[in-house]
Amino acid sequence: MNVSRWFSPLRPRFPPPSPFHCPPLSHQAVRGAAKVGVRRRGEGASMAAAAIGRACTYGAFRAAWRGFASVPVKGSCCSYSSLAWAFQTRCSISAPWNVTVQQCRQTSFFNSSTADELWKGALAETGVGVKKGRGKRRKKKLRKNLNKGQEIGEGRSGFLWPGLNAPVIQSGRLQAVTQRKKEERERIQSEIIQQRDTWEKKRKIKVKREGGWSGKCWGGVLLDPPDPGPNGETYEDFETRVIEVKNVFCMKAKEGRKKSIRALVAIGNGRGAAGFAMGKAGDRMNALRKAKNKAIRCLHFIETYQNHTIYHDITVKFKSTSIRMKKQNKGYGLHCHRAIITICKLIGIKDMYAKVSGSKNLINITRALFKGLTQQETHQQLANQKSLYVVEFREEQGPLPIVVALPEGNVREDPEPEDEVPDTKLEWSDVKEAQGMKKSPWANVRRTVW
């Protein structure tokens, strides 16, 4: 017996397809067929074919055989070189001597795994090196939206499916499935290709941003308006500014120091509506997008006096940051910290003085500013609280007072009680300035003469 022919690496040759098909065979059935073929060359081949045919009839061929064999059959052009290859196939038999093997794979790597599992493999998110914190300096791969530009129902065949890419009812009649003309299909495909090329070019173009507070600083940079809302509302009249972009790190048990970007963004329409929020993400643009979309949902309305300044002087403290704000006349401008200037412009405040003492943390400054501005009392609120007229003295009016608010209820007849010792908080810097004691910080510094 020539054993070498049973391990021939040749591929099987297929006869013409047969109309009779059978389900897959079992592992034991094909092993028995192979043993029968090994015993005798002439009779064993026919017995092997009969065994395979019997197994096909009962439908039990499921497992895979890891071996190679060549089974010659008299009167047939079919020669099987790999039983392992044959076990993963479906059989069709037209006669005891004619056997046809057709390869059939029900599942594959792409249709057995979910999209998240495939992306994890492509982006190496679950690798051992990533868990140990290695490869930090390499450029991180980002997930792409492969469905961008795709429309449900659209394809190269150009069919119009009612309810997907065509209306269900048109002119009072129920629409049927139709097909576009060839010229229209070619035009739509060329538009899709052109749109994808435009997206690729936009990705490669480096966007030049408007200058912020300083050259390489993200503070004060103008951003696009927030994304439209769920009901289609747009926020074109709102201006978005970056306050701070900072790298933060979190220590993980498996990944080590994990880096992320934290962005602080303020938004306002210049007419009193303003807000701020923070966003955190793995890259800068996603952090900015999250922050501005969150800020539009956290708006405050801040009252302004004559649309240019605050109603009264404010002293506010948040954690270790203190801000002292003073009301100013028209034309004074904004003499404040640069973050406060940016937020005041978004609110619509044009004239104000502010002094920051303590911590200069931008998050604390932003929270303290909004806390003080939202807690200020308008003239009308003060008049209703005291049940008295609220008057104001101005330089252009001299000693004559100007009534700025009237109480909504009855006016109180007895005046406001005055303390013998006024309870007034004074700043030592203001006292020294009023008494002429304020000197330059360089007054007592010794200057070296060269």
Side-chain angles (χ1 to χ4, degrees), residues 297-350:
R297 301 194 298 268
C298 306
L299 293 178
H300 304 268
F301 184 76
I302 297 169
E303 299 279 355
T304 55
Y305 178 62
Q306 295 183 352
N307 297 326
H308 77 97
T309 187
I310 57 179
Y311 277 90
H312 54 83
D313 296 349
I314 304 170
T315 301
V316 64
K317 184 175 182 180
F318 181 82
K319 293 186 178 180
S320 59
T321 301
S322 299
I323 303 178
R324 204 159 45 90
M325 293 173 272
K326 289 186 177 180
K327 174 184 176 181
Q328 299 295 340
N329 297 325
K330 279 188 178 181
Y332 180 82
L334 294 170
H335 295 189
C336 326
H337 188 276
R338 58 187 184 180
I340 298 178
I341 291 175
T342 303
I343 297 173
C344 286
K345 288 181 179 178
L346 296 175
I347 296 171
I349 299 174
K350 303 178 181 64

Side-chain angles (χ1 to χ4, degrees), residues 22-27 29-30 52 55-57 59-63 87 89 91:
C22 72
L25 305 178
S26 66
H27 176 66
V30 180
I52 293 176
C56 287
T57 306
F61 189 143
R62 297 201 180 272
F87 291 166
T89 61
C91 300

Side-chain angles (χ1 to χ4, degrees), residues 1-28:
M1 178 180 179
N2 188 5
V3 183
S4 62
R5 295 194 58 183
W6 295 98
F7 298 93
S8 173
L10 299 176
R11 288 189 170 273
R13 297 185 296 273
F14 297 105
S18 172
F20 177 70
H21 295 276
C22 72
L25 305 178
S26 66
H27 176 66
Q28 291 83 2

Side-chain angles (χ1 to χ4, degrees), residues 378-389:
T378 64
H379 293 161
Q380 189 62 44
Q381 291 174 351
L382 183 60
N384 296 335
Q385 180 183 354
K386 300 292 184 178
S387 298
L388 295 171
Y389 293 99

Side-chain angles (χ1 to χ4, degrees), residues 179-296:
Q179 189 175 11
R180 291 192 179 97
K181 296 182 179 179
K182 185 177 180 181
E183 295 79 9
E184 190 175 359
R185 281 182 292 178
E186 293 176 354
R187 180 183 59 81
I188 292 175
Q189 289 297 324
S190 62
E191 288 178 359
I192 293 174
I193 294 173
Q194 186 177 2
Q195 192 176 15
R196 288 176 181 169
D197 294 341
T198 307
W199 288 334
E200 290 294 328
K201 289 179 182 178
K202 283 184 179 179
R203 280 177 51 194
K204 295 178 182 179
I205 294 175
K206 194 173 183 180
V207 180
K208 186 178 179 181
R209 68 174 189 263
E210 183 185 344
W213 299 333
S214 59
K216 295 183 179 180
C217 177
W218 272 88
V221 173
L222 178 67
L223 298 178
D224 294 333
D227 298 338
N231 298 325
E233 58 270 14
T234 57
Y235 308 100
E236 299 294 335
D237 53 340
F238 280 85
E239 185 177 340
T240 308
R241 293 277 179 177
V242 181
I243 304 299
E244 184 186 29
V245 174
K246 193 174 183 180
N247 297 337
V248 293
F249 297 89
C250 179
M251 187 64 70
K252 299 286 186 179
K254 293 184 178 180
E255 302 178 18
R257 291 181 73 213
K258 187 177 181 181
K259 176 185 173 184
S260 56
I261 309 295
R262 185 187 68 195
L264 175 63
V265 171
I267 190 170
N269 62 352
R271 296 189 297 273
F276 71 98
M278 286 187 294
K280 188 183 289 187
D283 58 310
R284 186 185 297 112
M285 299 313 296
N286 279 337
L288 293 172
R289 179 183 56 80
K290 286 182 180 179
K292 69 181 181 181
N293 291 338
K294 192 187 296 182
I296 198 64

